[in-house]
Amino acid sequence: MTLALEAQRKEAEDTLTLLAAAKAAGADLDGRLAAALLELEALKAEEGRAETLSAELRAALAARLNAEAQMDQAVSDAEERKRLLAAANLALSNEEAASAESARKITLLNEQVAALRTQLNGLQSILDDSASKDEAAQVQIQQLGTQLNAALARVASEESKRAALEEAERKRLEEEAKELAAYRSEFFGKLKQVLGNREGIQIVGDRFVFSSEVLFTSGDAVLQPEGKAQVAKVAALLAEVAGDIPDEVDWIIRVDGHTDNIPLLGTGDFRNNWELSQGRALSVVEYMIDDLGFPPGRLAATGFGEYRPVNPADTREARAQNRRIELKLTER
């Protein structure tokens, strides 16, 4: 590339020399033209001489135009060579920059290779150390395997014991359920004997059912005197039966409130049948605790609103059946 640049530089100098010669020829032609013009003025009278001079003048002008054309071409060639020279210099500069960048990258790669070799040496040391540790680990693994087998044996033994305890607990719960069922049967049998066929009071399976009209006035949750008397009889029987139930049987009396499906007007103490059913169940529970001395831990109050009807028919009689308080002896 340097030789090519030198050749282009030589061509440019030759072009500049030709350009200087062309300019000198042009100046000479200008002088000749001026002299010819002077002679033409002086010899105007001589027609033949004028024609000769005119021809010479035309020849001089043609020569000048040709020289100017050559000069323009020379200038154009010189400019093109100058442009090529600049491009060559730029390419040379880029090549030198690329060479410098390549040298920098090679240096960086050498540094990275050196660092990788250092890391490789370190990894080899770690590998050698790991090999020695692995032997010790194998011994430890064997010891741990022995300990694990012993632990698994202990776990199996504990699982067997736990299964036996669970089976014993299941049987105990079954016995408790049987005992509670027996006491429930005894309780409801006594209720039937005591209450007989009173209107508004029923024994339905394992539930004792009060009609709400027996206990409360319409839309109210205040327990009426007649209702208190009926609840007191049931509570007395419950207390008698409860005295015979073993302590390990975790029993409760659940008091459930139910209403019909007629919406409340919203002008009383309760916004809806949910609240009314809960309020009535709570009134019975509070009376049993506060007035009859029944243990609070053995009672629960629940309201079901209109959503557990015993008779789904849309009749007056069905709605009366659905307005009720139920007492149920059950497990917690």
Side-chain angles (χ1 to χ4, degrees):
M1 183 175 290
T2 304
L3 292 176
L5 289 174
E6 185 62 30
Q8 290 181 3
R9 189 178 293 110
K10 183 65 171 61
E11 288 180 4
E13 290 175 355
D14 293 343
T15 300
L16 292 175
T17 301
L18 291 174
L19 181 59
K23 286 183 177 180
D28 181 59
L29 289 173
D30 288 341
R32 289 171 59 191
L33 179 60
L37 289 173
L38 290 173
E39 289 180 4
L40 182 61
E41 284 293 331
L43 301 173
K44 276 184 180 181
E46 299 179 6
E47 184 176 354
R49 181 63 176 167
E51 291 179 357
T52 301
L53 290 174
S54 178
E56 291 178 356
L57 179 59
R58 286 193 295 271
L61 288 173
R64 180 180 178 179
L65 291 174
N66 185 42
E68 288 178 349
Q70 291 180 358
M71 182 178 65
D72 292 339
Q73 182 62 39
V75 170
S76 177
D77 291 343
E79 290 178 349
E80 178 64 18
R81 288 187 176 90
K82 184 178 180 181
R83 185 185 66 78
L84 293 173
L85 180 60
N89 287 330
L90 178 60
L92 181 60
S93 298
N94 292 337
E95 185 67 25
E96 290 175 349
S99 298
E101 178 65 16
S102 297
R104 187 189 66 80
K105 290 182 178 178
I106 290 172
T107 301
L108 180 61
L109 287 173
N110 289 333
E111 292 175 355
Q112 292 176 351
V113 167
L116 287 173
R117 286 176 177 170
T118 301
Q119 292 178 4
L120 184 60
N121 292 332
L123 290 173
Q124 185 62 46
S125 299
I126 293 173
L127 184 61
D128 295 339
D129 185 54
S130 297
S132 60
K133 289 181 179 179
D134 185 58
E135 295 178 0
Q138 291 296 329
V139 175
Q140 187 176 7
I141 287 172
Q142 292 177 357
Q143 294 174 350
L144 289 174
T146 303
Q147 294 175 6
L148 178 61
N149 290 332
L152 289 174
R154 288 196 299 271
V155 168
S157 175
E158 292 297 327
E159 286 289 332
S160 178
K161 292 179 181 178
R162 184 178 63 81
L165 290 174
E166 289 178 351
E167 180 63 19
E169 179 66 11
R170 184 185 65 79
K171 290 181 179 179
R172 185 186 68 80
L173 292 176
E174 287 180 354
E175 290 300 320
E176 285 186 5
K178 290 179 182 178
E179 290 181 10
L180 186 61
Y183 290 114
R184 186 186 297 120
S185 176
E186 177 186 352
F187 167 63
F188 285 109
K190 289 183 179 180
L191 278 178
K192 286 180 180 179
Q193 294 176 2
V194 172
L195 298 174
N197 294 320
R198 293 174 182 266
E199 184 178 356
I201 303 174
Q202 304 180 61
I203 307 294
V204 181
D206 61 350
R207 293 171 292 121
F208 179 73
V209 182
F210 288 101
S211 173
S212 292
E213 281 74 7
V214 175
L215 305 180
F216 307 99
T217 59
S218 178
D220 193 16
V222 177
L223 194 59
Q224 298 299 303
E226 182 183 354
K228 289 181 178 181
Q230 299 298 337
V231 172
K233 290 179 181 180
V234 174
L237 289 174
L238 284 171
E240 181 182 340
V241 173
D244 297 332
I245 299 176
D247 293 337
E248 60 268 17
V249 179
D250 193 9
W251 61 273
I252 60 169
I253 298 298
R254 199 179 77 191
V255 181
D256 297 338
H258 301 268
T259 68
D260 58 26
N261 60 355
I262 303 299
L264 298 181
L265 298 177
T267 57
D269 294 333
F270 304 101
R271 294 178 300 172
N272 50 50
N273 285 328
W274 276 110
E275 290 189 358
L276 177 60
S277 65
Q278 290 171 348
R280 286 178 170 179
L282 189 59
S283 289
V284 173
V285 167
E286 289 176 342
Y287 172 68
M288 292 176 68
I289 295 171
D290 297 338
D291 292 27
L292 304 179
F294 208 89
R298 296 295 184 183
L299 291 170
T302 308
F304 291 96
E306 62 202 66
Y307 301 104
R308 294 281 183 91
V310 293
N311 189 341
D314 189 17
T315 63
R316 188 173 190 178
E317 291 75 13
R319 287 192 289 273
Q321 292 175 18
N322 294 331
R323 295 189 297 269
R324 67 197 188 279
I325 293 290
E326 296 182 353
L327 275 71
K328 182 177 182 180
L329 176 62
T330 184
E331 295 175 273
R332 190 180 300 275

